[in-house]
Amino acid sequence: MREEIRDLKGKIQEYTMPYRELMAYYKCAIMEVETKFKVLSEELSLEYDRNPIETVKTRLKSVDSITDKLLSKGLMLTVEDIENHIFDVAGIRVICGFPSDIYTISEAFLNQDDITLIERKDYIQNPKPNGYRSLHLIVEIPIFLYDQKRPMKVEAQFRTISMDWWASLEHKIRYKKDVEVPKEIALELFQCAEVAAALDKRMEQIQKTVENGCKKVPDLRK
């Protein structure tokens, strides 16, 4: 009996090993990208006398999420299809103070010679119909293993504090199990997103006014 259990464990480990290896590579890619943003944060905080990066969050997509995405795309449950077709397995979210900080940080990131831009979606300039705002970049970055250099894809999302706050709460409200969000609630969520965007614009103008040494803050409500 023990021998059968040992054999079964061995078969399971053999079957899952390619997947576990791939996830380990994604974790390495996340660490590489996270380090880049920490370095940028340190450098730019000296240049601007303030830190344009508030926080950096990372995540690795769960097995369930990966499986659901593969099935929704009509793909096979293989590591090859994961790597070739699912580009947001490894994710990093950079939270900035102001919208202009997002473009400053993202451009500095993309200018690094080991970063290759695969896809760019600007939901700040072109918000989603529900009001969602964020800058999404799919990039490819090399990770250096003991015997090889391996390119890996990572999704980087850039948001302001208010964009992140809205998106987090909207997700919790909209994606509750077995609950359909009424149209009037969806409209309110959209209006909240518009208010958050207006607040970002107002706060950034105040910040620029202070930096320029002016006392009078322009009234953007006019």
Side-chain angles (χ1 to χ4, degrees):
M1 183 66 173
R2 288 182 180 177
E3 207 171 299
E4 290 177 356
I5 292 174
R6 194 182 306 114
D7 288 344
L8 180 59
K9 286 182 177 179
K11 288 178 182 178
I12 291 173
Q13 289 179 351
E14 183 181 352
Y15 182 76
T16 60
M17 180 58 75
Y19 174 80
R20 288 189 286 126
E21 281 184 348
L22 182 60
M23 292 304 107
Y25 298 153
Y26 279 122
K27 287 179 184 177
C28 292
I30 287 173
M31 288 189 284
E32 289 279 355
V33 174
E34 184 179 20
T35 299
K36 285 181 176 295
F37 284 117
K38 286 181 177 179
V39 171
L40 281 173
S41 177
E42 188 68 24
E43 180 188 2
L44 292 173
S45 64
L46 294 173
E47 182 178 342
Y48 287 89
D49 199 28
R50 67 178 179 84
N51 198 333
I53 297 178
E54 296 290 332
T55 56
V56 176
K57 305 174 184 178
T58 64
R59 68 107 180 92
L60 189 67
K61 216 170 186 63
S62 68
V63 178
D64 287 345
S65 294
I66 292 172
T67 302
D68 289 344
K69 201 157 191 177
L70 286 170
L71 294 175
S72 69
K73 290 175 174 286
L75 299 169
M76 301 292 291
L77 302 178
T78 63
V79 293
E80 290 79 15
D81 274 1
I82 293 173
E83 195 166 6
N84 293 330
H85 300 285
I86 310 298
F87 295 161
D88 63 344
V89 175
I92 190 158
R93 185 176 300 152
V94 182
I95 311 302
C96 298
F98 303 103
S100 62
D101 291 336
I102 289 175
Y103 295 104
T104 298
I105 295 296
S106 61
E107 289 306 311
F109 173 63
L110 290 174
N111 283 337
Q112 298 186 18
D113 58 14
D114 59 345
I115 296 292
T116 302
L117 178 64
I118 304 298
E119 183 178 272
R120 176 190 180 102
K121 291 183 179 179
D122 192 339
Y123 297 117
I124 299 173
Q125 297 297 321
N126 302 287
K128 288 188 176 182
N130 66 344
Y132 175 84
R133 287 169 169 82
S134 183
L135 174 65
H136 290 198
L137 304 178
I138 302 294
V139 300
E140 192 170 75
I141 181 173
I143 60 171
F144 295 87
L145 307 171
Y146 79 96
D147 62 346
Q148 62 174 309
K149 181 174 79 170
R150 183 184 179 98
M152 299 298 298
K153 292 182 179 64
V154 178
E155 181 188 52
Q157 296 181 359
F158 300 82
R159 300 175 183 171
T160 62
I161 299 168
S162 64
M163 289 175 196
D164 189 57
W165 169 80
W166 180 90
S168 298
L169 293 183
E170 192 268 353
H171 182 81
K172 289 178 182 178
I173 294 169
R174 189 176 290 275
Y175 290 97
K176 280 189 174 182
K177 291 182 178 178
D178 303 322
V179 176
E180 185 176 348
V181 177
K183 288 183 179 179
E184 56 269 24
I185 298 298
L187 178 59
E188 284 206 45
L189 288 170
F190 173 79
Q191 291 171 343
C192 285
E194 294 292 297
V195 170
L199 179 61
D200 270 341
K201 185 177 180 181
R202 180 68 173 167
M203 292 296 287
E204 182 158 31
Q205 186 60 59
I206 292 172
Q207 180 262 337
K208 287 179 179 178
T209 302
V210 171
E211 279 189 352
N212 293 332
C214 301
K215 293 182 180 179
K216 186 177 180 181
V217 179
D219 189 352
L220 299 181
R221 294 170 295 181
K222 293 181 180 179

